[in-house]
Amino acid sequence: MYRAMESERPDALFWDPYARMLAGPEGEAMVRAMPKGRQSAWAMIVRTAVMDELIMNAVNRDGADTVLNLAAGLDTRPYRLSLPGTVRWVDADLADVLAYKETRLAGKEPVCALEYANIDLTDSAARLALFERVDARANRTIVITEGLLVYLEPSQVEDLARDLHAHLTFNWWLIDLASPRVLKMLERTWGKHLRAGGAPMRFGPKEGTVFFAPFGWTEREFRSMWEESLRLNRSMRFARLRHWVGRLYPKKKREEFRRMSGIVLLERE
């Protein structure tokens, strides 16, 4: 729904002609029902735009020939991005999620080779089997876990990091990452609703991207959600005033604020 809202702006950062159809009236109802649902759109829109950019960089600059999108949900990037036709894109998610998307997008042509993989990513055996299938046919792969890690236990994120690193063509891992402070803020706003839906937010490592180092992943690029929102002109109310006030803080504190939430491109060691 947030992608639909952005796409309908005259100055849209991206255009997703399928978003409103996929969201349907249920998506509109969710935005209305969630506390600060419409005011929170900026963060999801920024995340989408920045990840679009990093994915295209991986393909066009770094030569990624495969994209593995874990917990793909209702993502439409293989339909709306200007990807080379030679790219292989794999959307992996629960069977009912992908069936819904496939039905709604029937007759629409993706711009590249698209595959759907029905999987419960908490099933380690099924997950490894999927990774092996993708790895066997790839040369350079970027893995995406947009909006996924925050709902996992730290031990589940560790297992996923190990499993991804065990596959040699998985060169990059694109994630979004929140700090404990952001999780507390989100808990106050959305916590009750997310718990009621069986999806509490769990993962926000205090050590940031260093969490992934023992599992063979290092930070290649960190895009601060705050800074990117200002760059893209999609930020919360009074953001620029807060930004100028923040410049009065000590450098260490400013860096802490900058890294409260971000989009991260990890690279295998």
Side-chain angles (χ1 to χ4, degrees), residues 3 11 15 21 54 96 99 129 139 191 220 243:
R3 295 203 311 270
D11 61 343
W15 183 57
M21 173 181 63
L54 292 172
D96 56 347
N139 292 310
R220 174 171 176 175
H243 177 68

Side-chain angles (χ1 to χ4, degrees), residues 75-232:
D75 184 18
T76 60
R77 287 189 176 98
Y79 292 87
R80 64 176 182 82
L81 292 184
S82 299
L83 294 161
T86 53
V87 166
R88 176 192 177 204
W89 190 292
V90 182
D91 270 354
D93 211 323
L94 296 169
D96 56 347
V97 175
L98 294 181
Y100 172 85
K101 181 163 68 170
E102 189 170 24
T103 300
R104 289 296 181 101
L105 293 175
K108 312 298 183 185
E109 289 295 327
V111 299
C112 60
L114 172 62
E115 303 171 25
Y116 285 166
N118 298 330
I119 186 172
D120 178 351
L121 289 168
T122 62
D123 182 335
S124 59
R127 187 174 67 228
L128 282 170
L130 169 65
F131 292 176
E132 287 168 9
R133 288 199 306 272
V134 174
D135 186 43
R137 293 174 52 194
N139 292 310
R140 297 170 73 81
T141 300
I142 178 170
V143 180
I144 307 168
T145 53
E146 180 179 15
L148 170 64
L149 300 189
V150 72
Y151 299 107
L152 302 180
E153 296 287 356
S155 60
Q156 292 176 306
V157 179
E158 292 176 2
D159 290 343
L160 178 59
R162 288 191 191 95
D163 289 351
L164 289 173
H165 191 267
H167 295 81
L168 296 181
T169 71
F170 293 2
N171 300 90
W172 307 280
W173 183 10
L174 184 58
I175 68 173
D176 51 300
L177 192 65
S179 67
R181 181 170 180 171
V182 168
L183 255 59
K184 288 180 181 178
M185 293 166 57
L186 293 172
E187 171 63 26
R188 289 195 294 269
T189 305
W190 287 351
K192 180 176 71 174
H193 295 263
L194 293 174
R195 287 194 301 276
M201 291 185 171
R202 300 183 174 101
F203 182 70
K206 63 181 180 180
E207 64 269 51
T209 59
V210 175
F211 175 92
F212 299 92
F215 314 106
W217 296 99
T218 58
E219 177 186 315
R220 174 171 176 175
E221 193 168 350
F222 182 93
R223 300 283 192 95
S224 165
M225 186 70 77
W226 178 254
E227 291 178 346
E228 293 298 284
S229 76
L230 295 172
R231 176 177 73 91
L232 298 170

